[in-house]
Amino acid sequence: MQRASHARLLTICGRLRFRGFAGAGLGDNGAKQENGGERTHDMERDVAWKKYDEADLEALEHLAAEYIDFISDNKTERECAASAVALAEEHGYLPLDQAVREGRALKAGDKVWAQAHGKALILAHLGQRPLEQGLNILGAHIDSPRLDLKQNPLYESNGFTLFDTHYYGGIKNYQWVTLPLALHGVIAKKDGTVVDVKVGDDPDDPVFCVTDLLIHLAGKQMAKKANEVVEGEDLDILMGNRPLTCGSGSLDGTQSLGSPGSHGQSAGLSGSCGTRLVGTAEAPGESAASVATSEDVQAPADGEKEEEKEPVKAFALKLLAEKYGIEEEDFLSAEIEVVPAGRARDLGFDRSMVIGYGQDDRVCAYTSLVAQLALAETPEKTAVCVLVDKEEIGSVGATGMASQFFENAMAEIMELAGEGGPLPLRRALAASSMLSSDVSAGFDPAYASAFEAKNSAFLGRGLVFNKYTGSRGKSGSNDANAEYVARIRRVMDDAGVSFQTAELGKVDVGGGGTIAYIPAKYGMDVIDSGVAVLSMHSPWEVTSKADIYEAFKGYEAFLKNA
């Protein structure tokens, strides 16, 4: 997120407020739907838009604008975590590891953050009650389905240079062809430096793509099943077609490999074969002056003009060396994610929706984060926001919810708060309440046969609660206790939050899961709660601005009153 967005968020947290329902004929939480003045179904939730006054609409649009900036500027878990830390520090949060080193005692009102490997984050705002009496926790994930470069990705074939990829999470392969794509990530070098890579999202950057077969020759392809039309091994990124040539003289134009991190003017660098390259090194502490130029690379003498065996790949490697100061072997220790290029946008003539990449689950991660930061006063119970990685592949690894990161961070906080020890920690976790902030499948009239309407989430009707997820007999789900669901209903109604309940499609049609079952192992109450999404797991997902607004309100009400 740009620094200007950080500053605007400080005012937005003050503007966002809870609003009661306005308008005749609406009962508690808008449960009655008007249809010629009569109810159609007692259990059907009304559209949240109907209750908004001008102040609500202004707050809604400000939140949506900030959200669009966030998901446009942060397309990886690393970028989301870094931006969240920056926002947290602007709101007075201090690094937990610093407090541990200094032996600083924590008390009610103190705010700390901790992160794991730059990909997972915990924010804690200490409350008035002892931690042993429980926490109110929001938990979301900041990874999204994508393509990842393989460790040995670069190859040349028939005059093209391509990157070999391995998809991450559940995707429909065919949705990723012929789209403008961007590269985001890091390259770790043996000397200890880490080079940031971000190419394809600045308007002046080149983009990349996965190609597709022309319709004129696609008879056999079109006869295949959808999951076979584009094989996983065929999701290779087209990234070059120009060979490295020596002695051919000066070439017109420029070759740009992406703007520097500051989005300022790129430094022009001459290639050894008369090619002008544009870009600067982005390794921390590395300046443009340290990047190799044409004087550093000698063109071969006339008798040494031996053509490269893979000239297009050679030219690509030269661009990468000039831009980032890396060699091909450095890809072995790189994490480069291939994501859709371009910003999230307002959707519809009425601008009522948002279309953008990564809304599963960054729409819940962002609203959880903003709700945590909006707590101006010391909460009764300690408020915690957990943003984790690896949910799309099972919450595994050192940065997933199944790791010890969350438990270890809470143990450190309790130790500094004078409540250390394994038994108080276990008591605190068992007494806690959590919203597993994750998206739900929005009812899509184009695919109505996959949904059971009265137990589906609809865009514009508010925050969604899933008592259980899973598939085929609730397999693998967390099934929230009825008493906890009743408590959550009361909190939402008291705060005037529009909400709805849903399942993930018809029974036996499919299913899915979240992180909810993992923290439930401590004995805490957990329920899934999030925003309805159309085209989930596609490169461009759709949400309602009203649902984003209600999610923020609901998450803040939970932190204050659960």
Side-chain angles (χ1 to χ4, degrees):
M1 182 181 292
Q2 298 175 351
R3 302 301 295 179
S5 295
H6 291 169
R8 291 199 303 274
L9 182 60
L10 296 173
T11 61
I12 286 173
C13 286
R15 290 187 181 188
L16 294 170
R17 56 196 174 90
F18 298 130
R19 302 288 296 174
F21 281 82
L26 298 183
D28 290 346
N29 192 49
K32 301 177 183 179
Q33 181 174 5
E34 293 180 349
N35 183 9
E38 297 181 0
R39 296 179 300 176
T40 58
H41 197 294
D42 285 341
M43 296 289 285
E44 192 168 354
R45 300 295 180 174
D46 207 350
V47 176
W49 292 95
K50 293 182 180 180
K51 69 179 182 178
Y52 296 149
D53 61 17
E54 288 302 318
D56 283 309
L57 292 173
E58 181 182 2
L60 178 152
E61 290 294 345
H62 274 284
L63 178 64
E66 292 297 319
Y67 168 63
I68 286 173
D69 281 347
F70 185 86
I71 63 171
S72 298
D73 296 339
N74 303 290
K75 295 187 176 182
T76 71
E77 58 279 6
R78 287 178 183 268
E79 292 169 354
C80 288
S83 288
V85 167
L87 283 170
E89 291 189 336
E90 288 189 11
H91 285 77
Y93 282 76
L94 299 175
L96 176 61
D97 59 357
Q98 178 181 331
V100 171
R101 287 195 305 271
E102 297 174 354
R104 181 186 306 168
L106 296 180
K107 61 185 184 304
D110 286 345
K111 297 181 283 188
V112 292
W113 64 265
Q115 65 174 341
H117 305 282
K119 302 178 189 177
L121 178 69
I122 290 177
L123 306 180
H125 188 162
L126 272 68
Q128 301 171 32
R129 291 191 189 180
L131 281 83
E132 191 173 331
Q133 294 184 18
L135 325 163
N136 288 339
I137 306 167
L138 299 173
H141 67 93
I142 50 178
D143 61 314
S144 293
R146 60 181 189 259
L147 306 179
D148 286 343
L149 295 194
K150 293 183 177 181
Q151 282 188 284
N152 185 8
L154 189 61
Y155 71 97
E156 179 173 333
S157 179
N158 299 102
F160 294 104
T161 308
L162 301 103
F163 277 133
D164 208 354
T165 71
H166 193 139
Y167 61 86
Y168 174 97
I171 68 170
K172 295 179 178 178
N173 295 352
Y174 64 80
Q175 293 180 332
W176 287 78
V177 301
T178 69
L179 290 176
L181 299 172
L183 304 179
H184 289 234
V186 297
I187 301 173
K189 300 169 66 176
K190 290 189 294 185
D191 64 4
T193 59
V194 178
V195 183
D196 292 318
V197 175
K198 192 172 184 179
V199 184
D201 274 308
D202 188 278
D204 294 327
D205 284 353
V207 294
F208 310 89
C209 77
V210 178
T211 60
D212 195 9
L213 183 62
L214 67 162
I215 188 63
H216 311 74
L217 303 178
K220 289 185 178 179
Q221 182 193 49
M222 298 294 286
K224 293 181 178 180
K225 295 181 179 179
N227 63 351
E228 298 173 348
V229 169
V230 180
E231 300 284 350
E233 280 292 349
D234 295 332
L235 291 171
D236 292 353
I237 308 301
L238 183 62
M239 54 88 65
N241 180 229
R242 183 172 177 175
L244 179 66
T245 58
C246 296
S248 58
S250 179
L251 299 176
D252 294 330
T254 64
Q255 294 294 324
S256 178
L257 204 58
S259 302
S262 63
H263 298 291
Q265 294 295 320
S266 300
L269 303 174
S270 298
S272 64
C273 299
T275 305
R276 180 174 172 79
L277 310 177
V278 179
T280 61
E282 293 188 5
E286 189 172 7
S287 66
S290 66
V291 183
T293 65
S294 59
E295 287 75 25
D296 300 313
V297 183
Q298 297 298 321
D302 290 341
E304 300 174 338
K305 292 180 181 177
E306 180 179 345
E307 289 193 10
E308 294 278 350
K309 292 181 180 179
E310 296 180 309
V312 183
K313 177 181 176 181
F315 187 65
L317 285 170
K318 177 165 180 54
L319 287 170
L320 291 167
E322 294 281 4
K323 169 70 177 177
Y324 298 113
I326 65 167
E327 55 188 30
E328 185 175 9
E329 191 175 302
D330 290 326
F331 281 112
L332 293 174
S333 50
E335 292 179 0
I336 306 296
E337 301 177 13
V338 184
V339 297
R343 291 182 56 79
R345 305 275 296 274
D346 286 348
L347 178 66
F349 281 122
D350 56 5
R351 295 179 177 269
S352 62
M353 295 169 283
V354 175
I355 184 169
Y357 166 69
Q359 298 200 72
D360 175 9
D361 183 37
R362 291 169 191 146
V363 65
C364 297
Y366 182 75
T367 46
S368 296
L369 171 66
V370 177
Q372 176 82 15
L373 300 181
L375 296 175
E377 299 178 356
T378 301
E380 183 178 349
K381 289 184 178 180
T382 294
V384 177
C385 177
V386 186
L387 306 178
V388 292
D389 182 24
K390 300 293 192 293
E391 190 275 345
E392 296 294 356
I393 58 171
S395 296
V396 295
T399 54
M401 192 67 205
S403 73
Q404 296 297 305
F405 168 55
F406 167 68
E407 185 176 334
N408 291 345
M410 293 314 307
E412 294 283 9
I413 291 171
M414 292 188 69
E415 183 70 27
L416 295 179
E419 299 183 52
L423 187 56
L425 173 64
R426 288 158 62 183
R427 288 172 176 165
L429 296 177
S432 294
S433 302
M434 180 175 182
L435 295 185
S436 170
S437 307
D438 208 342
V439 295
S440 189
F443 183 92
D444 190 336
Y447 304 97
S449 62
F451 299 88
E452 192 266 290
K454 70 180 184 299
N455 285 293
S456 293
F458 288 81
L459 265 66
R461 295 188 184 179
L463 183 60
V464 183
F465 289 96
N466 296 90
K467 186 176 184 294
Y468 47 83
T469 55
S471 62
R472 293 177 177 83
K474 303 183 182 179
S475 177
S477 76
N478 167 72
D479 196 340
N481 293 318
E483 295 86 351
Y484 184 49
V485 178
R487 177 152 57 96
I488 294 298
R489 288 173 56 206
R490 175 184 55 77
V491 170
M492 297 300 126
D493 283 341
D494 289 349
V497 176
S498 293
F499 73 90
Q500 53 187 318
T501 60
E503 295 185 17
L504 188 57
K506 283 184 176 179
V507 176
D508 288 339
V509 169
T514 68
I515 66 171
Y517 74 97
I518 300 171
K521 71 181 181 181
Y522 297 113
M524 69 175 68
D525 283 314
V526 186
I527 188 170
D528 285 302
S529 170
V531 172
V533 176
L534 297 183
S535 305
M536 190 190 299
H537 278 217
S538 73
W540 296 94
E541 299 167 317
V542 177
T543 56
S544 165
K545 290 182 179 179
D547 297 338
I548 296 170
Y549 183 50
E550 297 299 323
F552 162 78
K553 291 167 45 177
Y555 292 157
E556 187 178 26
F558 171 82
L559 292 176
K560 289 180 175 180
N561 303 315

